Amino acid sequence: MNYGQPHGVLLFFKKGKNWTCEDRAACLAAQKEFYDELGQRGKVLQRGRLVHEDELFVSLSILSDTELCTILENDPAIRTEVSQVIHAVPVMF
């Protein structure tokens, strides 16, 4: 698979090192809004919480790994280390 071409990616998030910070709720709300905006642009195929967990699952449609890196760099919860990606699985849809 050429990861430089359009493909999908399944992202699995978990609690980051700053999960217990006072601003956690605001960071997670900003993260939700961030992925809502990406969804409106057709980038988010599916999103939800893992069963019995606070962790997030996101399925994205991306043009390249560079686009994925840009998305992750702009994720508010990742930037503040409230959340972190534990798995990024490339898939073809």
XYZ file of all heavy atoms in Angstrom:
741
model
N 0.848 -1.186 0.000
C 0.000 0.000 0.000
C 0.887 1.241 0.000
O 1.826 1.339 0.766
C -0.894 -0.024 1.246
C -1.778 1.145 1.413
S -2.871 0.854 2.836
C -3.833 2.290 2.764
N 0.594 2.175 -0.859
C 1.328 3.428 -0.910
C 0.637 4.424 0.013
O -0.414 4.974 -0.315
C 1.367 3.952 -2.344
C 2.127 5.245 -2.468
O 2.510 5.862 -1.479
N 2.353 5.670 -3.698
N 1.232 4.695 1.148
C 0.594 5.560 2.141
C 0.638 7.026 1.746
O 0.060 7.862 2.401
C 1.223 5.356 3.520
C 1.014 3.957 4.034
C 2.094 3.153 4.357
C -0.260 3.435 4.164
C 1.906 1.859 4.812
C -0.451 2.139 4.617
C 0.631 1.370 4.947
O 0.446 0.097 5.395
N 1.320 7.347 0.654
C 1.315 8.703 0.154
C 0.068 9.009 -0.657
O -0.215 10.156 -0.968
N -0.692 7.992 -1.017
C -1.919 8.139 -1.794
C -3.126 8.225 -0.856
O -3.031 7.867 0.312
C -2.073 6.944 -2.739
C -0.951 6.818 -3.741
C -0.876 8.035 -4.657
O -1.878 8.500 -5.171
N 0.326 8.555 -4.839
N -4.269 8.651 -1.375
C -5.477 8.709 -0.533
C -5.794 7.348 0.088
O -5.697 6.320 -0.574
C -6.575 9.124 -1.521
C -5.849 9.829 -2.612
C -4.524 9.125 -2.733
N -6.128 7.375 1.361
C -6.483 6.158 2.084
C -7.196 6.549 3.374
O -7.397 7.722 3.645
C -5.248 5.292 2.365
C -4.200 5.934 3.221
N -3.306 6.862 2.744
C -3.903 5.770 4.534
C -2.490 7.229 3.713
N -2.832 6.597 4.811
N -7.573 5.566 4.123
C -8.199 5.811 5.406
C -7.233 5.479 6.522
O -6.219 4.810 6.315
N -7.544 5.967 7.685
C -6.753 5.634 8.864
C -7.692 5.548 10.062
O -8.606 6.352 10.203
C -5.609 6.653 9.108
C -6.139 8.032 9.419
C -4.679 6.184 10.205
N -7.498 4.528 10.854
C -8.245 4.357 12.094
C -7.346 4.824 13.226
O -6.240 4.303 13.396
C -8.622 2.893 12.304
C -9.360 2.213 11.152
C -9.566 0.738 11.466
C -10.673 2.906 10.875
N -7.798 5.803 13.968
C -7.022 6.343 15.080
C -7.650 5.911 16.399
O -8.858 6.038 16.593
C -7.007 7.875 15.029
C -6.363 8.528 13.823
C -6.542 10.041 13.900
C -4.893 8.161 13.736
N -6.818 5.425 17.280
C -7.259 5.051 18.621
C -6.498 5.919 19.611
O -5.269 5.936 19.614
C -6.992 3.571 18.889
C -7.756 2.658 17.976
C -7.216 2.249 16.767
C -9.030 2.226 18.316
C -7.911 1.412 15.913
C -9.738 1.390 17.470
C -9.179 0.987 16.268
N -7.234 6.641 20.426
C -6.646 7.556 21.401
C -6.750 6.981 22.812
O -7.635 6.176 23.100
C -7.408 8.886 21.394
C -7.312 9.649 20.112
C -8.140 9.340 19.039
C -6.428 10.690 19.976
C -8.072 10.061 17.852
C -6.350 11.410 18.793
C -7.172 11.100 17.737
N -5.866 7.434 23.668
C -5.981 7.117 25.098
C -5.617 8.353 25.893
O -5.202 9.372 25.337
C -5.106 5.926 25.480
C -3.630 6.225 25.550
C -2.887 5.039 26.143
C -1.487 5.443 26.553
N -0.823 4.416 27.305
N -5.749 8.249 27.186
C -5.437 9.361 28.076
C -3.963 9.729 27.941
O -3.099 8.865 27.958
C -5.734 8.968 29.521
C -7.191 8.627 29.755
C -7.402 8.042 31.132
C -8.841 7.585 31.278
N -9.072 6.850 32.520
N -3.708 11.031 27.829
C -2.344 11.526 27.754
C -1.792 11.839 29.141
O -2.484 11.695 30.152
N -0.560 12.324 29.177
C 0.084 12.573 30.473
C -0.569 13.719 31.238
O -0.437 13.811 32.442
C 1.580 12.800 30.303
C 1.984 14.103 29.708
C 3.495 14.232 29.673
C 3.899 15.635 29.322
N 5.339 15.820 29.400
N -1.316 14.597 30.549
C -1.999 15.700 31.225
C -3.501 15.445 31.390
O -4.281 16.389 31.527
C -1.776 17.002 30.446
C -0.346 17.469 30.519
O 0.359 17.200 31.488
N 0.106 18.144 29.487
N -3.905 14.178 31.393
C -5.322 13.820 31.486
C -5.986 14.417 32.728
O -7.157 14.779 32.712
C -5.475 12.302 31.478
C -6.899 11.847 31.563
C -7.537 11.366 32.657
C -7.863 11.843 30.500
N -8.845 11.056 32.352
C -9.065 11.336 31.026
C -7.822 12.216 29.160
C -10.215 11.198 30.256
C -8.970 12.079 28.397
C -10.150 11.579 28.951
N -5.260 14.539 33.807
C -5.851 15.009 35.058
C -5.815 16.527 35.206
O -6.206 17.045 36.242
C -5.148 14.366 36.266
O -3.759 14.692 36.218
C -5.324 12.861 36.275
N -5.391 17.250 34.187
C -5.307 18.709 34.287
C -6.706 19.322 34.414
O -7.705 18.732 34.027
C -4.553 19.302 33.106
S -5.503 19.382 31.580
N -6.741 20.517 34.963
C -8.008 21.211 35.188
C -8.743 21.522 33.884
O -9.968 21.601 33.868
C -7.758 22.520 35.945
C -7.285 22.329 37.364
C -7.001 23.659 38.048
O -7.456 24.704 37.542
O -6.326 23.644 39.077
N -8.013 21.715 32.812
C -8.604 22.087 31.532
C -8.999 20.898 30.668
O -9.304 21.062 29.490
C -7.627 22.966 30.743
C -7.349 24.284 31.427
O -8.213 24.743 32.199
O -6.271 24.857 31.195
N -8.991 19.690 31.236
C -9.278 18.496 30.443
C -10.613 18.590 29.707
O -10.696 18.317 28.513
C -9.261 17.239 31.315
C -9.609 15.983 30.488
C -9.622 14.740 31.311
N -10.827 14.727 32.123
C -10.932 14.107 33.284
N -9.917 13.462 33.790
N -12.052 14.129 33.954
N -11.663 18.971 30.396
C -12.992 19.038 29.762
C -12.984 20.010 28.587
O -13.543 19.717 27.527
C -14.047 19.430 30.779
N -12.328 21.153 28.749
C -12.259 22.138 27.665
C -11.442 21.594 26.495
O -11.802 21.800 25.330
C -11.662 23.449 28.169
N -10.352 20.901 26.777
C -9.510 20.316 25.723
C -10.276 19.244 24.950
O -10.203 19.186 23.719
C -8.238 19.714 26.311
S -7.077 20.936 26.916
N -11.014 18.401 25.664
C -11.780 17.348 24.999
C -12.941 17.936 24.194
O -13.269 17.434 23.116
C -12.273 16.327 26.019
C -11.168 15.523 26.711
C -11.756 14.616 27.784
C -10.347 14.729 25.711
N -13.543 19.009 24.690
C -14.600 19.684 23.937
C -14.026 20.299 22.656
O -14.637 20.226 21.590
C -15.273 20.755 24.794
N -12.833 20.884 22.765
C -12.170 21.463 21.591
C -11.807 20.366 20.592
O -11.921 20.560 19.379
C -10.934 22.239 22.017
N -11.400 19.202 21.106
C -11.077 18.076 20.233
C -12.332 17.606 19.493
O -12.295 17.353 18.293
C -10.480 16.919 21.043
C -10.051 15.743 20.188
C -9.559 14.590 21.035
O -10.224 14.176 21.995
N -8.389 14.074 20.691
N -13.448 17.516 20.202
C -14.708 17.114 19.567
C -15.085 18.096 18.468
O -15.446 17.705 17.356
C -15.825 17.019 20.607
C -17.167 16.626 20.014
C -18.283 16.732 21.026
C -19.623 16.349 20.458
N -20.004 17.009 19.230
N -14.984 19.379 18.762
C -15.303 20.411 17.771
C -14.355 20.318 16.566
O -14.775 20.460 15.415
C -15.188 21.790 18.411
C -15.582 22.916 17.486
C -15.531 24.262 18.189
O -15.989 24.356 19.342
O -15.030 25.218 17.563
N -13.084 20.045 16.817
C -12.090 19.898 15.758
C -12.483 18.776 14.802
O -12.491 18.954 13.587
C -10.718 19.621 16.398
C -9.615 19.342 15.429
C -9.077 20.352 14.649
C -9.092 18.068 15.301
C -8.049 20.098 13.756
C -8.063 17.792 14.420
C -7.537 18.818 13.639
N -12.859 17.609 15.356
C -13.248 16.493 14.498
C -14.623 16.699 13.878
O -14.893 16.204 12.784
C -13.127 15.158 15.235
C -11.666 14.781 15.401
C -11.035 14.866 16.630
C -10.912 14.375 14.303
C -9.695 14.552 16.766
C -9.569 14.067 14.427
C -8.966 14.164 15.658
O -7.625 13.870 15.783
N -15.499 17.473 14.533
C -16.778 17.849 13.915
C -16.526 18.673 12.647
O -17.157 18.444 11.615
C -17.651 18.661 14.879
C -18.311 17.818 15.954
O -18.328 16.573 15.822
O -18.798 18.415 16.933
N -15.600 19.628 12.747
C -15.265 20.463 11.587
C -14.656 19.621 10.467
O -14.985 19.814 9.295
C -14.303 21.578 11.998
C -14.949 22.639 12.870
C -13.954 23.648 13.408
O -12.783 23.675 12.968
O -14.348 24.422 14.302
N -13.780 18.694 10.817
C -13.219 17.798 9.801
C -14.312 16.939 9.176
O -14.279 16.652 7.986
C -12.134 16.912 10.407
C -10.804 17.587 10.737
C -9.875 16.599 11.436
C -10.144 18.139 9.494
N -15.286 16.537 9.981
C -16.408 15.750 9.472
C -17.228 16.529 8.456
O -17.679 15.977 7.457
N -17.400 17.811 8.699
C -18.149 18.649 7.763
C -17.416 18.776 6.433
O -18.042 19.035 5.408
C -18.398 20.025 8.377
C -19.363 19.987 9.530
C -19.472 21.330 10.243
O -18.893 22.327 9.829
N -20.215 21.347 11.333
N -16.104 18.587 6.443
C -15.302 18.636 5.216
C -15.138 17.252 4.597
O -14.399 17.079 3.640
C -13.930 19.248 5.513
C -14.042 20.681 5.966
C -12.730 21.428 6.047
N -11.527 20.654 6.083
C -10.524 20.836 6.933
N -10.613 21.768 7.859
N -9.442 20.104 6.869
N -15.816 16.248 5.183
C -15.775 14.896 4.633
C -14.568 14.078 5.030
O -14.317 13.021 4.461
N -13.821 14.542 6.030
C -12.607 13.837 6.451
C -12.887 12.755 7.495
O -12.185 11.759 7.545
C -11.571 14.835 7.007
C -11.024 15.775 5.968
C -10.227 15.006 4.956
C -9.660 15.881 3.872
N -8.989 15.081 2.852
N -13.874 12.967 8.349
C -14.182 11.999 9.408
C -15.299 11.085 8.917
O -16.377 11.533 8.567
C -14.600 12.696 10.717
C -15.038 11.678 11.757
C -13.456 13.546 11.252
N -14.992 9.795 8.867
C -15.979 8.813 8.430
C -16.798 8.291 9.603
O -17.976 8.010 9.472
C -15.274 7.664 7.716
C -14.398 8.083 6.533
C -13.640 6.891 5.994
C -15.240 8.738 5.458
N -16.144 8.161 10.747
C -16.824 7.656 11.942
C -16.039 8.106 13.158
O -14.817 8.232 13.129
C -16.906 6.144 11.891
C -17.779 5.541 12.954
C -17.951 4.042 12.738
O -17.190 3.413 12.016
N -18.946 3.478 13.366
N -16.776 8.326 14.260
C -16.117 8.740 15.498
C -16.946 8.248 16.664
O -18.166 8.182 16.589
C -16.009 10.259 15.550
C -15.250 10.737 16.763
C -15.271 12.226 16.906
N -16.638 12.639 17.185
C -17.122 13.821 16.872
N -16.393 14.692 16.264
N -18.357 14.117 17.171
N -16.293 7.897 17.739
C -17.023 7.466 18.915
C -16.100 7.176 20.068
O -14.886 7.325 19.979
N -16.692 6.765 21.141
C -15.937 6.382 22.342
C -15.814 4.869 22.358
O -16.710 4.156 21.918
C -16.664 6.841 23.607
C -16.790 8.332 23.711
C -15.582 8.924 24.362
N -15.677 10.379 24.360
C -14.649 11.165 24.192
N -13.457 10.680 24.034
N -14.793 12.459 24.185
N -14.704 4.380 22.867
C -14.543 2.948 23.025
C -15.456 2.480 24.150
O -15.727 3.219 25.102
C -13.087 2.604 23.336
C -12.087 3.026 22.252
C -10.667 2.685 22.687
C -12.396 2.371 20.926
N -15.950 1.274 24.053
C -16.905 0.747 25.024
C -16.301 0.773 26.431
O -15.180 0.328 26.641
C -17.316 -0.695 24.637
C -18.250 -1.280 25.678
C -17.967 -0.699 23.268
N -17.032 1.335 27.367
C -16.642 1.410 28.786
C -15.357 2.191 29.007
O -14.671 1.974 29.994
C -16.503 0.010 29.398
C -17.707 -0.838 29.234
N -18.928 -0.508 29.758
C -17.896 -1.997 28.577
C -19.808 -1.433 29.448
N -19.215 -2.346 28.719
N -15.017 3.072 28.102
C -13.776 3.838 28.230
C -14.034 5.303 27.879
O -14.998 5.635 27.210
C -12.686 3.292 27.276
C -12.312 1.855 27.510
C -11.557 1.619 28.787
O -10.919 2.554 29.299
O -11.616 0.492 29.295
N -13.126 6.164 28.305
C -13.189 7.568 27.923
C -12.431 7.819 26.622
O -12.476 8.912 26.088
C -12.571 8.446 29.021
C -13.433 8.479 30.269
O -14.667 8.465 30.135
O -12.857 8.523 31.371
N -11.727 6.814 26.147
C -10.873 7.002 24.990
C -11.686 7.141 23.699
O -12.793 6.646 23.581
C -9.866 5.856 24.854
C -8.738 5.942 25.851
C -9.082 5.378 27.221
O -10.083 4.655 27.350
O -8.342 5.663 28.164
N -11.078 7.787 22.731
C -11.724 8.139 21.474
C -11.266 7.226 20.350
O -10.137 6.744 20.339
C -11.354 9.593 21.139
C -11.955 10.241 19.912
C -13.466 10.417 20.069
C -11.297 11.600 19.694
N -12.151 7.017 19.394
C -11.862 6.292 18.157
C -12.303 7.201 17.020
O -13.386 7.767 17.050
C -12.665 4.986 18.129
C -12.774 4.382 16.766
C -11.803 3.534 16.301
C -13.848 4.664 15.937
C -11.896 2.962 15.047
C -13.945 4.116 14.675
C -12.966 3.266 14.227
N -11.441 7.384 16.010
C -11.774 8.209 14.853
C -11.333 7.492 13.590
O -10.228 6.963 13.526
C -11.091 9.595 14.915
C -11.378 10.405 13.662
C -11.522 10.368 16.140
N -12.199 7.482 12.593
C -11.881 6.948 11.279
C -11.820 8.133 10.319
O -12.793 8.875 10.187
C -12.966 5.961 10.852
O -12.774 5.557 9.527
N -10.660 8.323 9.673
C -10.449 9.458 8.789
C -10.221 9.027 7.353
O -9.666 7.955 7.105
C -9.201 10.244 9.214
C -9.202 10.947 10.554
C -7.813 11.492 10.846
C -10.206 12.078 10.548
N -10.602 9.871 6.436
C -10.249 9.735 5.035
C -9.219 10.818 4.749
O -9.500 12.006 4.915
C -11.483 9.938 4.154
O -11.110 9.937 2.795
N -8.006 10.414 4.353
C -6.930 11.375 4.155
C -6.302 11.205 2.778
O -6.413 10.157 2.152
C -5.851 11.245 5.254
C -5.269 9.836 5.282
C -6.414 11.631 6.610
C -4.097 9.652 6.211
N -5.651 12.250 2.328
C -4.992 12.228 1.026
C -3.583 11.664 1.099
O -3.076 11.129 0.125
C -4.962 13.637 0.433
C -6.331 14.259 0.174
C -6.185 15.702 -0.291
C -7.097 13.430 -0.844
N -2.946 11.794 2.269
C -1.565 11.321 2.426
C -1.212 11.282 3.911
O -1.938 11.814 4.748
C -0.599 12.260 1.704
O -0.588 13.524 2.358
N -0.082 10.679 4.201
C 0.389 10.670 5.584
C 0.735 12.083 6.054
O 0.618 12.391 7.239
C 1.597 9.745 5.737
C 1.200 8.279 5.658
O -0.011 7.985 5.677
O 2.103 7.429 5.593
N 1.131 12.940 5.138
C 1.418 14.338 5.481
C 0.154 15.014 6.003
O 0.203 15.750 6.995
C 1.961 15.096 4.251
O 3.139 14.422 3.793
C 2.288 16.536 4.585
N -0.977 14.746 5.356
C -2.237 15.314 5.827
C -2.572 14.789 7.215
O -3.018 15.539 8.083
C -3.374 15.005 4.861
C -4.690 15.622 5.311
C -5.853 15.324 4.393
O -5.856 14.283 3.701
O -6.777 16.150 4.377
N -2.336 13.506 7.453
C -2.584 12.940 8.778
C -1.733 13.637 9.830
O -2.228 13.989 10.901
C -2.307 11.431 8.782
C -2.415 10.757 10.147
C -3.810 10.901 10.733
C -2.016 9.297 10.039
N -0.459 13.835 9.540
C 0.426 14.521 10.489
C -0.086 15.921 10.797
O -0.078 16.348 11.956
C 1.847 14.575 9.952
S 2.670 12.973 9.937
N -0.560 16.621 9.792
C -1.103 17.968 9.992
C -2.337 17.919 10.880
O -2.496 18.752 11.785
C -1.443 18.615 8.631
O -0.248 18.690 7.855
C -2.040 20.001 8.803
N -3.207 16.963 10.638
C -4.411 16.815 11.467
C -4.021 16.566 12.915
O -4.530 17.219 13.829
C -5.308 15.676 10.931
C -5.969 16.119 9.614
C -6.368 15.272 11.965
C -6.697 15.005 8.873
N -3.110 15.637 13.142
C -2.715 15.317 14.517
C -2.017 16.489 15.196
O -2.209 16.726 16.393
C -1.837 14.070 14.534
C -2.531 12.781 14.096
C -1.545 11.623 14.075
C -3.722 12.469 14.979
N -1.221 17.245 14.453
C -0.548 18.416 15.019
C -1.539 19.494 15.437
O -1.249 20.293 16.327
C 0.438 19.001 14.011
C 1.660 18.145 13.795
C 2.494 18.583 12.594
O 2.117 19.555 11.899
O 3.521 17.925 12.349
N -2.713 19.516 14.806
C -3.723 20.533 15.114
C -4.805 20.056 16.073
O -5.684 20.844 16.437
C -4.345 21.040 13.812
C -3.376 21.885 13.033
O -2.917 22.912 13.512
N -3.033 21.460 11.842
N -4.754 18.806 16.483
C -5.728 18.272 17.440
C -5.470 18.936 18.795
O -4.393 18.792 19.367
C -5.556 16.754 17.536
C -6.521 16.105 18.500
O -6.704 16.630 19.626
O -7.064 15.051 18.164
N -6.456 19.680 19.325
C -6.250 20.413 20.580
C -5.879 19.529 21.770
O -5.059 19.929 22.605
C -7.594 21.099 20.830
C -8.286 21.104 19.514
C -7.786 19.909 18.770
N -6.445 18.346 21.864
C -6.161 17.472 23.004
C -4.773 16.830 22.890
O -4.132 16.563 23.901
C -7.233 16.402 23.142
N -4.313 16.606 21.675
C -2.959 16.078 21.499
C -1.936 17.167 21.799
O -0.929 16.923 22.474
C -2.764 15.508 20.077
C -3.592 14.234 19.910
C -1.290 15.225 19.802
C -3.555 13.650 18.520
N -2.192 18.373 21.304
C -1.257 19.486 21.543
C -1.049 19.736 23.030
O 0.050 20.065 23.457
C -1.760 20.761 20.874
C -1.498 20.817 19.403
C -1.652 22.220 18.830
N -2.619 23.059 19.484
C -3.821 23.374 19.002
N -4.209 22.915 17.835
N -4.631 24.165 19.672
N -2.103 19.582 23.820
C -1.999 19.826 25.265
C -1.638 18.560 26.045
O -1.567 18.596 27.263
C -3.320 20.395 25.811
O -4.376 19.477 25.508
C -3.616 21.764 25.212
N -1.470 17.455 25.336
C -1.125 16.154 25.908
C -2.183 15.621 26.872
O -1.886 14.867 27.777
C 0.255 16.180 26.550
C 1.352 16.463 25.539
C 2.744 16.420 26.126
O 2.927 16.722 27.326
O 3.655 16.076 25.364
N -3.433 16.040 26.661
C -4.551 15.465 27.399
C -4.880 14.099 26.795
O -5.339 13.193 27.480
C -5.772 16.411 27.366
C -7.038 15.709 27.828
C -5.499 17.628 28.224
N -4.623 13.960 25.506
C -4.900 12.735 24.782
C -3.684 12.382 23.935
O -2.881 13.249 23.597
C -6.131 12.955 23.896
O -6.485 11.798 23.199
N -3.559 11.107 23.599
C -2.486 10.674 22.710
C -2.977 9.534 21.830
O -3.875 8.798 22.208
C -1.249 10.254 23.487
C -1.440 9.041 24.365
C -0.178 8.688 25.133
O 0.887 9.176 24.849
N -0.320 7.825 26.120
N -2.394 9.420 20.656
C -2.742 8.337 19.741
C -1.947 7.101 20.146
O -0.731 7.164 20.286
C -2.419 8.723 18.276
C -2.642 7.536 17.352
C -3.268 9.903 17.847
N -2.647 5.978 20.347
C -1.937 4.739 20.683
C -1.825 3.820 19.475
O -0.915 3.007 19.401
C -2.580 3.996 21.876
C -4.065 3.719 21.633
C -2.358 4.754 23.146
C -4.681 2.792 22.646
N -2.749 3.962 18.504
C -2.688 3.187 17.275
C -3.180 4.051 16.123
O -4.186 4.758 16.270
C -3.575 1.935 17.328
C -3.167 0.927 18.346
N -2.006 0.205 18.271
C -3.766 0.538 19.487
C -1.913 -0.602 19.316
N -2.962 -0.402 20.074
N -2.493 3.997 15.000
C -2.937 4.630 13.764
C -2.821 3.550 12.693
O -1.737 3.206 12.266
C -2.083 5.836 13.420
N -3.977 2.998 12.313
C -4.000 1.852 11.405
C -4.452 2.310 10.025
O -5.597 2.735 9.850
C -4.963 0.762 11.938
C -4.951 -0.441 11.025
C -4.612 0.384 13.374
N -3.563 2.234 9.008
C -3.972 2.614 7.654
C -4.855 1.547 7.042
O -4.626 0.348 7.248
C -2.648 2.742 6.902
C -1.664 1.976 7.697
C -2.154 1.899 9.101
N -5.874 1.970 6.323
C -6.803 1.039 5.660
C -7.186 1.604 4.297
O -7.117 2.800 4.060
C -8.077 0.780 6.489
C -7.768 0.073 7.782
C -8.811 2.070 6.776
N -7.592 0.723 3.412
C -8.158 1.133 2.130
C -9.667 0.956 2.236
O -10.133 -0.086 2.669
C -7.607 0.279 0.990
C -6.134 0.464 0.726
S -5.670 2.119 0.238
C -6.357 2.213 -1.383
N -10.414 1.978 1.873
C -11.874 1.895 1.908
C -12.406 1.562 0.549
O -11.887 1.897 -0.450
C -12.481 3.219 2.399
C -12.130 3.545 3.814
C -11.369 4.655 4.108
C -12.553 2.742 4.846
C -11.040 4.968 5.412
C -12.235 3.051 6.172
C -11.483 4.173 6.449
